[in-house]
């Protein structure tokens, strides 16, 4: 992922060309689909289509909210597994309500912790997770160069 994506959008739209203003990081939405919310450690897909790709977040991705628009049942945990290591890497959400349509933001459920490396998104049943669950992960990747890499 290019470090300058947000800055190029902002500056190309007539923003500051002098690098005086800091443009910040843009929010992105990654569609997700969980085939069986009762499973433990299942890799989350990008859609319900047969052969759909696994959902992989970039290094430094911080999920700020989870929007569910295809509800299943119970609650689920969302986590990450290292793309190259294959080991559990972090937690996105604990006891996320999967039984109703809605958005949950950073707080007691969504952790707001950044990924330390590229990672698969995984899902596990927390309390009676069931059925298919789908929606969007809303996240950003902080610019480590604070907008100073190019104009």
């Amino acid at each position: 992922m290019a470090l300058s994506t947000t800055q190029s959008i902002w500056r190309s739209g007539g923003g500051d060309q002098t690098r005086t203003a800091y443009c910040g990081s843009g929010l992105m939405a990654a569609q997700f689909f969980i085939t069986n919310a009762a499973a433990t450690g299942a890799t989350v897909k990008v859609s319900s289509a047969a052969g759909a790709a696994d959902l992989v977040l970039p290094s430094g991705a911080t999920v700020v909210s989870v929007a569910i628009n295809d509800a299943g049942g119970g609650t689920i945990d969302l986590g990450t597994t290292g793309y190259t290591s294959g080991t559990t890497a972090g937690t996105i959400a604990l006891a996320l309500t999967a039984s109703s349509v809605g958005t949950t933001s950073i707080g007691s459920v969504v952790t707001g912790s950044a990924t330390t490396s590229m990672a698969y998104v995984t899902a596990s049943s927390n309390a009676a997770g069931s059925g298919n669950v789908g929606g969007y992960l809303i996240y950003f990747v902080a610019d480590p160069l604070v907008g100073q890499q190019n104009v």
Side-chain angles (χ1 to χ4, degrees):
M1 173 173 175
L3 292 176
S4 61
T5 301
T6 303
Q7 131 179 359
S8 18
I9 293 168
W10 189 69
R11 290 185 177 152
S12 294
D16 180 19
Q17 295 295 319
T18 66
R19 296 185 183 177
T20 303
Y22 173 56
C23 60
S25 297
L27 288 175
M28 293 167 273
Q31 181 176 344
F32 73 88
F33 186 80
I34 302 164
T35 303
N36 178 6
T40 298
T43 301
V44 175
K45 302 293 184 179
V46 296
S47 78
S48 61
D54 297 336
L55 177 54
V56 179
L57 292 178
S59 179
T62 301
V63 175
V64 296
S65 64
V66 179
I68 293 181
N69 61 5
D70 182 5
T75 61
I76 58 172
D77 296 336
L78 293 176
T80 57
T81 298
Y83 183 77
T84 54
S85 70
T87 59
T88 301
T91 302
I92 294 172
L94 292 172
L96 177 69
T97 299
S99 58
S100 61
V101 172
T103 301
T104 304
S105 299
I106 292 176
S108 60
V109 174
V110 176
T111 65
S113 300
T115 57
T116 56
S117 62
M118 199 162 66
Y120 291 105
V121 176
T122 59
S124 296
S125 176
N126 179 290
S130 63
N132 299 333
V133 178
Y136 296 89
L137 298 179
I138 310 302
Y139 72 98
F140 70 90
V141 177
D143 178 357
L145 301 176
V146 197
Q148 297 301 305
Q149 62 271 26
N150 59 31
V151 174

